[in-house]
Amino acid sequence: MNNHQNPYLLLHRNARSENWNAEAIMRAIKEDAHFAKSEETRRKAWEVIGERLAFGIGEVQDSVNLTLDYIGNRELLSAYERVSLICHRADESFFAQQAETVLDAARHGCVVVSAFISSKEREVKRMLMQESLPIIEIMNNGFSTQYHPYGSAYDACMAGRMVQISPWTFCPQSEYRLTREICLVMNELVRVISKAPDNWWKRE
């Protein structure tokens, strides 16, 4: 089967979700300690995010649903059991427990949702990929017109074990910067998709 015959390798644009809206993005910024300091820091954050959205942040209203692009197995997005992977510095000493709990959940049928931003998150991603476990990956850039997954992500998407999803418009690498604001928005999308709190893995 070539790329064009495999539905999981087709890029889909402008999907909508009632839960992914301006309110979710506002929540990501307002609840961050750094941006809670002043209105000016929040305004600058909106400017950064607005540059990466399909329309200016000033145009966004609470009732507007933002669009999402994706490639891979869409059914993973509506899987019955989804868990989040967000590693916080405050929990760094508990990383081994978090990693094992996430892996165990995936081995028992849960789909892991993460932006895989930190080195710890990327470490868990490598373990998930090695065991061919299902993943929803939030991308830190939009998809170019010629985009396709590469390496192990290509194999995972082709086999239906992965979906890559992005809220962003594509930005050329020469102009690209991964900022705090971008990371906060991606992690908020992780929460929206997984419907799980960051600390779900802290079992008694």
Side-chain angles (χ1 to χ4, degrees):
M1 178 179 290
N2 61 38
N3 294 4
H4 299 292
Q5 293 173 321
N6 190 322
Y8 299 146
L9 295 178
L10 297 177
L11 182 59
H12 298 267
R13 295 193 184 276
N14 300 320
R16 294 180 181 271
S17 167
E18 63 180 12
N19 296 319
W20 184 241
N21 49 39
E23 182 180 355
I25 291 183
M26 291 175 184
R27 183 169 61 242
I29 298 302
K30 290 179 178 178
E31 294 184 0
D32 179 71
H34 173 74
F35 293 116
K37 293 177 181 178
S38 71
E39 182 63 33
E40 178 64 14
T41 59
R42 289 192 294 275
R43 184 188 65 78
K44 290 181 179 179
W46 287 125
E47 291 177 356
V48 172
I49 294 171
E51 291 176 356
R52 296 290 309 281
L53 292 174
F55 43 83
I57 198 71
E59 302 172 44
V60 178
Q61 303 297 321
D62 288 350
S63 60
V64 173
N65 287 341
L66 306 176
T67 61
L68 298 162
D69 300 337
Y70 69 91
I71 190 169
N73 184 1
R74 182 177 182 173
E75 293 182 5
L76 297 178
L77 296 169
S78 57
Y80 180 70
E81 294 185 288
R82 287 158 285 168
V83 296
S84 61
L85 171 63
I86 300 176
C87 294
H88 294 286
R89 290 183 180 178
D91 294 323
E92 191 169 359
S93 60
F94 301 102
F95 171 68
Q97 176 190 345
Q98 182 180 11
E100 185 55 39
T101 304
V102 169
L103 286 166
D104 185 63
R107 290 167 185 147
H108 287 84
C110 293
V111 179
V112 178
V113 188
S114 182
F116 301 111
I117 299 167
S118 71
S119 60
K120 297 294 186 183
E121 291 163 1
R122 292 193 294 272
E123 185 177 337
V124 176
K125 180 184 177 181
R126 285 192 292 271
M127 292 185 280
L128 290 165
M129 297 290 275
Q130 286 172 358
E131 296 190 31
S132 299
L133 296 170
I135 295 173
I136 296 172
E137 180 177 18
I138 311 301
M139 305 299 285
N140 60 23
N141 198 355
F143 300 119
S144 68
T145 54
Q146 301 299 320
Y147 177 82
H148 60 80
Y150 59 91
S152 59
Y154 176 91
D155 294 333
C157 284
M158 188 167 65
R161 298 192 307 268
M162 172 182 275
V163 59
Q164 296 179 327
I165 186 166
S166 173
W168 313 112
T169 54
F170 174 69
C171 181
Q173 290 300 318
S174 60
E175 304 172 15
Y176 179 79
R177 287 193 312 123
L178 182 62
T179 65
R180 184 186 187 93
E181 299 91 330
I182 299 302
C183 293
L184 289 171
V185 171
M186 288 193 295
N187 279 339
E188 194 61 33
L189 183 54
V190 170
R191 298 180 186 104
V192 167
I193 293 176
S194 67
K195 299 182 180 179
D198 297 5
N199 63 352
W200 67 270
W201 54 273
K202 293 183 179 179
R203 297 174 177 172
E204 297 295 333

